[in-house]
Amino acid sequence: MDRIRIRGGNELHGIIPISGAKNAALPLMIASLLTDDTLTLENVPHLADVEQLIRILGNHGADISVNGRRERQGESYARTIHFTSRNIVDTTAPYELVSKMRASFWVIGPLLAREGKARVSLPGGCAIGTRPVDLFIEGLTALGANIEIDGGYINATAPEGGLIGARYVFPKVSVGATHVLMMAATRARGTTVIGNAAREPEVVDLANCLNAMGAKITGAGTSTITIEGVTTLSGARHRVLPDRIETGTYAMAVAMAGGDVVLEGTDASLLETALEAIRRAGAEITPTNNGIRVRRNGGGIKPVDVVTDPFPGFPTDLQAQFMGLMTRSSGISHITETIFENRFMHVQELARLGARISLSGQTAKIEGVGRLKGAPVMATDLRASVSLVIAGLVAEGDTMVSRVYHLDRGFERLEEKLTRCGAEVERVSD
Ligand code: EPZ
């Protein structure tokens, strides 16, 4: 199994191209099931999760062709992928496929809207909390679906004539349930109003793509989304928005290691709260015409407290990385996780590098230390694993991160991007 070796101590200088967002690409790919026409997505990152979803969509009958050529512009590695689901050949999403990635559960929305039925295995995904599906069930039931759980599967059926538009207010903000309800409602009869909707940029990206396919969605990006149902959707061409989590991760890597890096092809407005926290920690962040420039020269890392929250708050997907950064701050910082109850698996691994972190409920107290020392560590989930890479960039000697398959789910060519900026990072295959 592959591992990543990081030899700490180098500053980062250069350009890092930011990929298309994994968490936008996945729901956009799933939206292709809503039409028998071709949905073309540009700027799709080359990631294990994308490959897995390609297999899942293929199982439902999607014909998928990948334009393998790299986009030369900006040295991005993005691919253009065409999805055509002329006929849905199978409305079952089996356990073997869904258990590997939680987002694949989201096919339930389009299958129900288009075929009137779906049998979808209860999901798997990163081990970061219980992650139930009650909000999906409640939301789809509000649109008239009949839902039963049987043998680890959800069997959902739409009423005769299809789903029916309704008003539904989520009791808790959920990105995935917002995606699913929005997709399902595009082809429901009448108007759906979703209250307490997730406001994440990926929800806006999905709504923009669905509208390009002929849907009538307004309000995405606010907490109330209105969807006027239409009978059919057509194909479209859509460019996946930049990955704000990858952007924040590399910004934190530069804040940690020091140096001067341009993150190319991204947009600061996607992650203002996180960038503000990195600024307060001591990095200079300025917009460029096609991205952002991050610098930290001379000064040390200051302690900053953060609390994760749904967008526009500090993203839970950057919590582990920020903790990595705070391990070297000049004082005490606190990080509170409010989204997932078990997203502190990186704490014990960071401690192996010499970090001083104590946990009290949902809050971690991080006492900055003067030095970290390389050690073998284990990735436990996608974002936790990259926090170990960030810490490894300044740890003395070698840090060896195992279970790299977590990283491959969400970071495209991580070692290449960092190495080009002067870091010593290499993949070791046993
Ligand atoms: C999305 O997951 C992201 N995944 C996650 O990124 C991200 O951490 C999360 O949103 C929060 O921002 C993708 O976009 C593919 P939620 P999702 O439903 O949709 C609870 C990464 O590292 N909840 O917004 O699964 C849930 O347990 C991944 O890229 C219910 O209680 O997250 C959590 O506490 C990891 N019932 C909270 O809501 C439900 O039915 C928010 O989860 C659904 C969710």
Side-chain angles (χ1 to χ4, degrees):
M1 225 185 291
D2 286 359
R3 291 178 292 165
I4 287 205
R5 179 195 290 133
I6 306 125
R7 180 154 300 162
N10 295 3
E11 286 196 348
L12 300 176
H13 290 269
I15 295 173
I16 297 181
I18 297 301
S19 300
K22 167 182 83 84
N23 288 349
L26 299 178
L28 289 165
M29 290 166 68
I30 289 171
S32 69
L33 292 175
L34 282 164
T35 174
D36 58 9
D37 211 346
T38 301
L39 176 65
T40 297
L41 296 177
E42 298 171 2
N43 201 30
V44 181
H46 199 172
L47 298 169
D49 274 9
V50 167
E51 300 311 303
Q52 174 66 7
L53 188 54
I54 285 177
R55 280 190 284 277
I56 289 167
L57 297 177
N59 190 57
H60 294 302
D63 182 20
I64 298 165
S65 66
V66 179
N67 173 343
R69 271 182 306 153
R70 291 179 180 186
E71 266 180 42
R72 275 291 154 212
Q73 192 191 9
E75 286 207 63
S76 147
Y77 304 108
R79 297 175 305 166
T80 295
I81 309 188
H82 311 276
F83 300 86
T84 313
S85 302
R86 197 74 65 213
N87 297 300
I88 301 289
V89 297
D90 193 345
T91 52
T92 297
Y95 174 73
E96 306 77 71
L97 294 177
V98 180
S99 57
K100 296 210 174 82
M101 179 176 59
R102 181 176 167 91
S104 48
F105 176 77
W106 301 348
V107 297
I108 194 169
L111 291 178
L112 198 52
R114 180 166 163 190
E115 298 295 306
K117 60 177 183 173
R119 178 172 158 78
V120 181
S121 168
L122 288 162
C126 281
I128 55 179
T130 51
R131 304 183 84 183
V133 292
D134 54 321
L135 302 176
F136 295 82
I137 295 176
E138 270 188 29
L140 292 172
T141 305
L143 298 190
N146 177 45
I147 293 184
E148 281 164 17
I149 298 181
D150 172 36
Y153 279 78
I154 290 196
N155 292 328
T157 39
E160 191 79 23
L163 296 170
I164 306 157
R167 175 176 286 271
Y168 177 72
V169 180
F170 280 113
K172 177 176 184 175
V173 177
S174 162
V175 175
T178 302
H179 284 319
V180 164
L181 211 53
M182 195 162 73
M183 286 191 276
T186 54
R187 291 186 62 169
R189 287 170 284 159
T191 302
T192 300
V193 179
I194 306 175
N196 200 22
R199 291 182 283 163
E200 269 66 4
E202 294 76 20
V203 171
V204 179
D205 207 35
L206 176 62
N208 289 342
C209 177
L210 291 169
N211 282 341
M213 293 163 73
K216 293 189 175 162
I217 303 172
T218 53
T222 75
S223 54
T224 306
I225 301 177
T226 304
I227 306 119
E228 222 182 288
V230 295
T231 47
T232 54
L233 293 177
S234 61
R237 194 175 184 96
H238 180 84
R239 187 174 174 81
V240 179
L241 95 171
D243 196 317
R244 64 194 165 99
I245 304 304
E246 192 195 25
T247 305
T249 300
Y250 287 124
M252 289 176 198
V254 179
M256 184 68 150
D260 186 347
V261 171
V262 171
L263 306 177
E264 199 174 63
T266 189
D267 180 353
S269 70
L270 298 172
L271 71 162
E272 286 297 355
T273 310
L275 292 182
E276 190 47 39
I278 303 168
R279 272 192 198 104
R280 281 167 44 218
E284 245 181 88
I285 298 179
T286 45
T288 66
N289 55 8
N290 182 27
I292 58 178
R293 180 174 177 194
V294 186
R295 275 173 287 182
R296 187 174 68 78
N297 299 315
I301 300 164
K302 298 188 196 75
V304 177
D305 293 348
V306 300
V307 178
T308 64
D309 254 324
F311 192 85
F314 188 95
T316 173
D317 290 348
L318 284 172
Q319 181 258 107
Q321 298 89 314
F322 199 70
M323 193 178 297
L325 176 62
M326 286 298 107
T327 60
R328 283 294 309 274
S329 88
S330 56
I332 293 176
S333 59
H334 298 89
I335 297 183
T336 304
E337 171 60 53
T338 70
I339 310 289
F340 293 109
E341 72 277 11
N342 189 25
R343 212 174 194 180
F344 281 136
M345 310 275 277
H346 40 286
V347 167
Q348 58 200 20
E349 298 302 308
L350 288 169
R352 292 177 53 77
L353 301 174
R356 253 184 248 147
I357 306 170
S358 56
L359 285 178
S360 167
Q362 293 299 95
T363 300
K365 177 181 168 194
I366 305 110
E367 251 177 275
V369 292
R371 67 191 271 262
L372 296 175
K373 194 152 184 309
V377 286
M378 199 181 281
T380 50
D381 70 65
L382 168 55
R383 312 304 176 184
S385 51
V386 83
S387 78
L388 301 171
V389 175
I390 290 180
L393 290 174
V394 297
E396 288 167 20
D398 283 3
T399 297
M400 189 68 107
V401 183
S402 55
R403 299 202 183 163
V404 166
Y405 54 86
H406 287 297
L407 274 177
D408 293 336
R409 293 186 59 185
F411 289 94
E412 190 178 44
R413 296 170 193 260
L414 173 107
E415 60 273 30
E416 187 180 320
K417 289 185 183 186
L418 286 171
T419 304
R420 282 184 172 200
C421 289
E424 279 187 68
V425 181
E426 65 170 335
R427 186 174 290 251
V428 185
S429 298
D430 296 325

